[in-house]
């Protein structure tokens, strides 16, 4: 399968120019692709692995949902409870992502630019929300923001709990994408700006931020995608009340539990479409900013 | 005097980068800070720009005390060895940066940027991104960017250090011509004595955090204050306990009163020049002469020769000087 896939890819990379179809194609000076034997194998493995794990299962979901025709999508989205779940999920994910852009950049900045006791420990702990099983994340959050909250914030079973859970599990993404870029920034670029008269704020806004922008966008994409797929922590934290705190992934589970696989597949492909749309939009924004310079 | 540096000392931990440095840099001239790597010359330049601060001492720029001013307020242009370009901005935007943050009117900025890009021969590259330029072009862009804000002084830190030899030589000549056009007080740091001798009006030799000598290229070359300056500014060899330039040694095949006797052990041809290694009682001596001269003399490996410093040659007592061959 690997060779078949890589073979197929090699064929499609070459432009189908009439000249190339002639017998003398071996004499052509510019190669159709840059794949050497080893690289061809690498691409083959990539495609095989990616297909087995991602492309084929995803296609299966979309195919299953599409088997019911447009009606199944329309039916699913016309269901008010489902629609409320989708809106809550997307809105909360968007809010949390915006929040992460600000806090993630600040945390990355502190970790790279400042020296303080405990920095190394903080640097390790940043990844904890990512490493914990999300059901444990739910427990942890419930301890501080649940009915017995020591700080008097009982957010359990409220829409706020969804924001809280999303924020918790997506915290590391922007920190970890921005941090290495910030570390690589040349000090002399900032010094050049300073000697040209730029204040610290101007240097940040006009020199540092544009350099960080691609990393921030990449982190935001990951953060958003991770948020809309969050499930485990919400089971405990949000109570999954219909129209109030039920998110799309929980809604999918209840579809499956009720045996309506077609609805579950339809909602899953809607989520997939949302995720793809956000990835594409953020990528376009990033390209546009990069081009504007 | 444009820049007055008084009693400046700077330590990094135990390391003394600058030790009570006093220098005055004249207005409108091109001054080189010359010295070996790690000698403190870049630190001095950064202190003038306000990018580092001195532990003690003061800096005055055009009569204003700048010792505690931040870099933003010193009105100096700074050019870095590795260009320090703003990667995400076009060439024109890079040059315009200083003017834009000063909120100059748009048409004025455009006009000034065009003018400067013309000056550094980058007009046709205005809309390119920096990564589409060669190293030499990037450095010219950085220079235009620094000049845009009409700085009181222009500081260049090893500006050609990252470029290959040919481009370096071109840019060096070009910098000299540019300075003759613009006349801004310019200080540049270099460890290349040829660069300093060729370009600078005045040279400050700095070594181990101290100023060894200040003077014009001729003064430094003809009247070196000590053995360090002499050996740093060109090739030297030790003849009879004094250091002297290899091309200032006369060679005879017959005994001469006061000359040092020796045997030619090696003859090395480098283009038009010939380098002889002569073993004497006081150690090996390097002698440089033209090929024609050597042919007229008729000496070869194994010849017995007598050496003496030519009339008018500069010699310095070389007490503890190792034979240094500084690449020229």
């Amino acid at each position: 399968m690997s060779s078949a896939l890589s073979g197929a890819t090699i064929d499609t990379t070459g432009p189908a120019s009439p000249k190339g179809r002639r017998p003398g194609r071996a004499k052509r000076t510019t190669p159709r692709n840059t794949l050497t034997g080893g690289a061809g194998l690498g691409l083959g493995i990539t495609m095989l692995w990616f297909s087995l794990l991602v492309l084929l299962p995803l296609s299966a979901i979309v195919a299953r949902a599409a088997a019911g025709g447009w009606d199944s999508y329309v039916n699913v989205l016309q269901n008010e409870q489902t629609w409320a779940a989708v809106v809550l999920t997307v809105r909360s994910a968007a809010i949390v992502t915006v929040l992460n852009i600000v806090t993630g950049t600040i945390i990355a900045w502190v970790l790279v630019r400042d020296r303080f006791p405990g920095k190394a420990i903080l640097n390790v702990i940043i990844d904890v929300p990512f490493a914990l099983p999300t059901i444990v994340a739910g427990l942890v959050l419930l301890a501080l923001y649940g009915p017995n909250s020591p700080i008097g914030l009982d957010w359990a079973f409220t829409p706020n709990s969804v924001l809280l859970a999303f924020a918790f599990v997506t915290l590391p993404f922007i920190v970890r994408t921005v941090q290495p870029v910030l570390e690589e920034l040349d000090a002399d670029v900032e010094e050049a700006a300073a000697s040209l008269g730029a204040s610290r704020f101007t240097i940040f806004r006009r020199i540092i931020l544009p350099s960080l922008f691609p990393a921030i966008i990449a982190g935001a994409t990951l953060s958003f995608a991770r948020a809309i797929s969050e499930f485990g922590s919400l089971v405990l934290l949000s109570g999954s009340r219909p129209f109030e705190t039920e998110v799309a992934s929980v809604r999918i589970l209840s579809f499956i539990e009720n045996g309506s696989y077609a609805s579950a597949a339809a909602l899953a492909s809607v989520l997939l479409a949302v995720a793809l749309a956000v990835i594409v939009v953020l990528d376009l924004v990033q390209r546009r900013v990069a081009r504007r310079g | 005097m444009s820049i007055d540096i008084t009693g400046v000392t700077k330590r990094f931990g135990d390391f003394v980068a600058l030790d009570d440095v006093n220098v005055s840099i004249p207005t409108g001239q091109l001054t080189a800070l010359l010295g070996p790597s790690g000698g403190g010359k870049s630190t001095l330049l950064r202190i003038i720009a306000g990018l580092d601060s001195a532990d003690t001492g003061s800096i005055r720029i055009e009569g204003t005390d700048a010792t505690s001013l931040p870099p933003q307020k010193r009105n100096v242009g700074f050019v870095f060895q590795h260009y320090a370009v703003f990667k995400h901005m076009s060439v024109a935007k890079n040059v315009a940066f200083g003017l834009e943050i000063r909120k100059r009117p748009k048409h004025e900025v455009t006009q000034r940027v065009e003018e400067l890009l013309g000056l550094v021969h980058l007009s046709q590259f205005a809309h390119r991104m920096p990564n589409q330029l060669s190293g030499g072009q990037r450095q010219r862009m950085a220079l235009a960017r620094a000049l845009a804000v009409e700085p009181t002084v222009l500081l260049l830190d090893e500006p050609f250090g990252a470029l290959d030899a040919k481009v370096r030589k071109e840019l060096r000549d070009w910098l000299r011509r540019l300075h003759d056009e613009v006349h801004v007080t310019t200080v540049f740091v270099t460890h290349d004595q040829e660069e300093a001798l060729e370009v600078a009006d005045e040279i400050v030799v700095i070594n181990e955090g101290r100023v060894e000598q200040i003077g014009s290229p001729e003064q430094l070359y003809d009247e070196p204050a000590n053995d360090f300056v002499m050996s740093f500014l060109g090739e030297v060899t030790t003849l009879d306990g004094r250091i002297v330039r290899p091309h200032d040694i006369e060679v005879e095949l017959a005994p001469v009163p006061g000359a040092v006797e020796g045997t030619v052990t090696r003859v090395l041809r480098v283009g038009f020049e010939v380098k002889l290694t002569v073993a004497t009682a006081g150690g090996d001596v390097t002698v440089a002469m033209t090929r024609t001269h050597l042919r007229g003399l008729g000496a070869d490996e194994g010849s017995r020769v007598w050496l003496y410093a030519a009339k008018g040659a500069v010699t310095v007592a070389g007490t503890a000087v190792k034979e240094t061959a500084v690449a020229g």
Side-chain angles (χ1 to χ4, degrees):
Chain A
M1 184 171 182
S2 136
S3 63
L5 270 169
S6 64
T9 316
I10 286 166
D11 272 347
T12 51
T13 48
S17 65
K19 201 177 175 184
R21 299 248 179 249
R22 285 181 199 159
R25 63 192 284 178
K27 286 181 188 166
R28 195 179 42 204
T29 48
T30 49
R32 281 190 173 186
N33 60 63
T34 57
L35 290 178
T36 59
L41 183 68
L43 182 61
I45 292 171
T46 305
M47 289 312 292
L48 174 66
W49 191 246
F50 194 63
S51 302
L52 287 176
L53 287 177
V54 181
L55 287 182
L56 294 177
L58 273 184
S59 314
I61 285 285
V62 175
R64 180 160 222 165
W70 287 112
D71 284 354
S72 68
Y73 286 99
V74 173
N75 284 340
V76 164
L77 288 179
Q78 268 180 347
N79 179 316
E80 283 178 21
Q81 190 185 340
T82 313
W83 182 246
V86 170
V87 168
L88 174 70
T89 310
V90 173
R91 193 185 57 213
S92 304
I95 293 171
V96 162
T97 301
V98 170
L99 207 64
N100 277 341
I101 288 177
V102 179
T103 55
T105 308
I106 292 173
I107 294 172
W109 180 274
V110 168
L111 284 177
V112 173
R113 295 290 172 105
D114 297 337
R115 283 167 191 217
F116 53 90
K119 177 174 158 176
I121 298 169
L122 181 61
N123 196 10
V124 172
I125 290 180
I126 293 291
D127 286 330
V128 165
F130 189 58
L132 275 182
T134 50
I135 188 99
V136 181
L139 263 177
V140 171
L141 289 173
L142 210 52
L144 192 58
Y145 302 101
N148 303 318
S149 168
I151 54 170
L153 280 179
D154 183 4
W155 280 358
F157 314 135
T158 70
N160 282 348
S161 67
V162 177
L163 285 178
L164 202 59
F166 284 7
F168 185 85
V169 297
T170 59
L171 184 140
F173 290 106
I174 289 182
V175 178
R176 290 304 188 215
T177 49
V178 169
Q179 209 178 354
V181 180
L182 204 50
E183 274 164 3
E184 290 296 310
L185 283 188
D186 290 329
D188 59 5
V189 174
E190 288 164 49
E191 289 174 347
S195 78
L196 288 169
S199 64
R200 291 196 62 169
F201 176 72
T202 308
I203 295 173
F204 181 76
R205 194 174 60 85
R206 295 212 42 195
I207 307 296
I208 299 173
L209 210 51
S211 312
L212 298 183
F213 200 75
I216 292 175
I217 290 298
T221 310
L222 287 173
S223 165
F224 184 87
R226 179 71 188 80
I228 61 169
S229 61
E230 176 52 16
F231 175 79
S233 58
L234 293 169
V235 174
L236 273 179
L237 202 59
S238 76
S240 300
R241 295 173 171 175
F243 298 103
E244 224 181 297
T245 60
E246 188 186 42
V247 297
S249 57
V250 175
R251 186 83 184 122
I252 291 174
L253 178 70
S254 55
F255 277 137
I256 294 170
E257 282 173 346
N258 295 334
S260 49
Y261 287 104
S263 300
L267 181 51
S269 44
V270 168
L271 270 191
L272 184 66
V274 170
L276 273 178
V278 167
I279 290 171
V280 168
V281 166
L282 286 180
D283 188 58
L284 286 177
V285 168
Q286 193 258 313
R287 278 163 198 262
R288 190 173 182 151
V289 169
R291 209 180 312 135
R292 198 182 53 191
Chain B
M1 287 293 168
S2 184
I3 308 172
D4 289 297
I5 298 152
T6 321
V8 165
T9 298
K10 174 77 179 174
R11 291 165 197 277
F12 295 104
D14 286 342
F15 177 71
V16 182
L18 292 172
D19 186 8
D20 191 23
V21 168
N22 297 284
V23 181
S24 287
I25 288 163
T27 305
Q29 297 215 320
L30 191 51
T31 305
L33 301 183
L34 174 69
S37 301
K41 54 199 187 320
S42 282
T43 307
L44 183 59
L45 199 73
R46 291 175 58 85
I47 288 174
I48 298 172
L51 300 174
D52 277 332
S53 57
D55 296 339
T56 59
S58 70
I59 307 283
R60 296 178 75 81
I61 298 175
E62 293 288 0
T64 325
D65 184 9
T67 316
S68 52
L69 281 183
Q72 286 89 344
K73 299 252 167 77
R74 296 204 184 189
N75 199 31
V76 298
F78 203 98
V79 174
F80 295 81
Q81 178 174 5
H82 296 288
Y83 327 128
V85 296
F86 304 145
K87 288 182 202 135
H88 57 284
M89 296 183 194
S90 69
V91 171
K93 279 276 173 197
N94 261 276
V95 177
F97 185 81
L99 298 168
E100 280 179 356
I101 58 176
R102 281 170 173 71
K103 305 251 181 328
R104 295 281 171 79
K106 218 165 189 169
H107 66 270
E108 192 191 313
V109 174
T110 321
Q111 195 191 341
R112 180 98 181 107
V113 168
E114 266 175 37
E115 210 177 285
L116 282 158
L117 287 178
L119 190 70
V120 299
H121 309 299
L122 286 175
S123 298
Q124 69 272 43
F125 298 109
H127 300 294
R128 295 262 183 104
M129 295 307 278
N131 61 8
Q132 295 169 300
L133 302 183
S134 70
Q137 289 169 334
R138 277 183 223 188
Q139 197 56 301
R140 297 205 311 259
M141 181 192 86
L143 201 57
R145 185 178 68 183
L147 287 171
V149 297
E150 288 170 25
T152 330
V153 292
L154 179 63
L155 308 173
L156 305 104
D157 189 1
E158 301 260 6
F160 314 129
L163 303 168
D164 64 59
K166 186 166 170 283
V167 179
R168 194 156 67 212
K169 212 160 159 46
E170 278 169 21
L171 273 190
R172 183 200 287 176
D173 298 343
W174 174 82
L175 175 67
R176 181 66 245 185
R177 287 199 305 273
L178 181 80
H179 184 263
D180 294 342
E181 269 177 63
V182 183
H183 286 302
V184 59
T185 306
T186 306
V187 184
F188 76 102
V189 160
T190 180
H191 61 264
D192 181 346
Q193 90 285 356
E194 197 186 312
E195 192 167 292
L197 290 172
E198 237 182 81
V199 177
D201 298 313
E202 185 161 87
I203 300 177
V204 180
V205 182
I206 298 181
N207 181 40
E208 292 181 343
R210 281 186 302 273
V211 174
E212 300 277 359
Q213 191 175 3
I214 304 173
S216 68
E218 290 74 27
Q219 279 173 327
L220 259 61
Y221 202 83
D222 295 341
E223 304 151 36
N226 54 37
D227 51 356
F228 174 81
V229 175
M230 171 121 183
S231 59
F232 198 76
L233 256 67
E235 270 181 74
V236 290
T237 188
T238 310
L239 176 68
D240 201 16
R242 294 188 69 80
I243 60 173
V244 58
R245 304 225 181 269
H247 56 256
D248 281 343
I249 296 178
E250 300 281 7
V251 181
E252 297 288 347
L253 287 174
V256 177
V260 177
E261 190 183 343
T263 311
V264 179
T265 55
R266 206 156 85 100
V267 178
L268 182 70
R269 267 176 49 185
V270 187
F272 69 91
E273 204 185 33
V274 181
K275 285 183 180 166
L276 305 180
T277 308
V278 180
T280 67
D284 280 358
V285 179
T286 309
V287 182
M289 59 179 72
T290 62
R291 282 185 61 198
T292 323
H293 192 127
L294 180 71
R295 228 179 275 147
L297 192 69
D300 206 344
E301 278 182 29
S303 303
R304 181 146 290 264
V305 291
W306 280 262
L307 308 175
Y308 59 96
K311 215 171 142 190
V314 178
T315 65
V316 169
T319 42
V321 173
K322 296 169 292 216
E323 180 142 325
T324 44
V326 180

